[in-house]
Amino acid sequence: MAFETEMEAEQVIEQFVKRASDLKGSSLVGLIIEATSHSSLFAFSEILDIPSVLELHGTEYSEYIDLLRLFAHGTWRDYKSNAGFLPELVPDQVLKLKQLSILTLAEENKDLSYYQLMQELDISNIQELEDFLINECINVGYMKTGGQVGAIFTKALSGDQGVVRGKLNQLQKCFEVQFAVGRDLRPGQLASLIQTLSNWLSTSDKIVLMIKEKIDWVDKMTELNKKHQKEVKEMIEVSKKIDQQLPSIETEPLGEMGEIDMLYIAGLMTSGEYGARMKREAIINTGMRCGDPFGVTCVGGQIFVHLTLDFRKFSSAGIKAHCFFI
């Protein structure tokens, strides 16, 4: 696990810091060589901050503090450019610095081309590069799975996690980084990191606001839907009530009939206009004036107009009437 690797590195750093605090001058040279060769140590800023180490600057051992700075922030290419001013590296230091170089490249790009890696690490062919990545970076505690197109490495034996985890894409000839151990912050990098985190925080705030707006919209639509369902239910209940009343108020036809529609649903006129219209239709269709009152009922935003008739008058006139009481 990445957490376990970081915990182990932290413990190693603490040990070196404690030891370095008790040493001075030439006695620090051996400790610096040991620290820069250690397989689990990839951060060196805490050692650099120790007063006795800083005192090496300007002395005959100042090249060792420069070497420590190189391992904290530099790469194999940087060493090659300044080899004449630095101590010669032992094999473990060469391996360490090449591992650190991959970590620096992984900070900038998660797809590292084989060509770029061979240039940065002074490796002459792809097979040597893949062996280096597998055995020295991904770790011997991992096994290869997958075919030639893409090899993925998973943990097979007990051991360290390694400095990187990823996929060798042999078709695209690149190493796809999924995880990399962090390095020390370079001088001036802290401000850039703070800006990156601030941008991330601002973007996160905007996303949270968008999510809240969507939630509010969903809540509003839910309430509108509930209101609509309630209105539909009310209309259904009204219809059921009307259907139940129809059989009890219908008279038998006595001949050629005219029909008066006693129920009219609309929102295009006032109740007064409705009453006048319905009375006129009643007079025209029955030949009789009906003095019974009209009623208006509003349910769920719809207007129901209803008329109560004297069925004795209509029966004598041979009229079939429908009267709905709501």
Side-chain angles (χ1 to χ4, degrees), residues 124-281:
S124 58
N125 59 73
I126 290 177
Q127 184 61 55
E128 182 182 352
L129 173 64
E130 288 186 339
D131 288 344
F132 174 79
L133 291 172
I134 296 169
N135 298 323
E136 307 298 348
C137 298
I138 297 175
N139 200 275
V140 294
Y142 284 71
M143 63 179 293
K144 176 180 175 181
T145 60
Q148 289 296 104
V149 173
I152 301 175
F153 297 84
T154 55
K155 195 164 186 180
L157 303 173
S158 60
D160 296 334
Q161 178 173 341
V163 296
V164 292
R165 182 173 65 248
K167 174 182 177 181
L168 297 182
N169 190 327
Q170 295 169 324
L171 181 62
Q172 299 295 327
K173 289 185 169 47
C174 69
F175 178 48
E176 300 172 358
V177 180
Q178 299 170 348
F179 161 83
V181 172
R183 293 194 66 180
D184 293 302
L185 291 177
R186 295 183 293 277
Q189 191 178 14
L190 180 59
S192 175
L193 180 60
I194 291 174
Q195 183 61 49
T196 299
L197 292 174
S198 297
N199 293 340
W200 175 83
L201 182 60
S202 177
T203 301
S204 300
D205 289 339
K206 291 178 181 178
I207 293 174
V208 170
L209 181 60
M210 290 174 60
I211 293 174
K212 185 179 182 301
E213 289 176 350
K214 290 293 184 182
I215 292 174
D216 291 341
W217 179 83
V218 169
D219 290 341
K220 181 179 178 181
M221 295 306 297
T222 300
E223 289 301 318
L224 290 175
N225 184 56
K226 288 180 179 179
K227 182 179 178 181
H228 175 69
Q229 290 181 355
K230 181 180 179 181
E231 292 177 351
V232 170
K233 185 176 180 181
E234 290 175 352
M235 294 296 297
I236 291 174
E237 293 299 321
V238 168
S239 299
K240 288 180 178 180
K241 188 174 181 180
I242 292 173
D243 290 341
Q244 291 171 358
Q245 291 180 354
L246 278 175
S248 63
I249 63 174
E250 187 174 293
T251 62
E252 292 296 327
L254 301 176
E256 190 69 25
M257 295 179 296
E259 183 174 305
I260 300 176
D261 186 356
M262 298 301 179
L263 176 65
Y264 189 82
I265 304 175
L268 303 179
M269 61 181 67
T270 65
S271 59
E273 292 172 335
Y274 248 124
R277 176 176 174 177
M278 293 297 288
K279 287 180 179 180
R280 287 197 302 272
E281 291 182 356

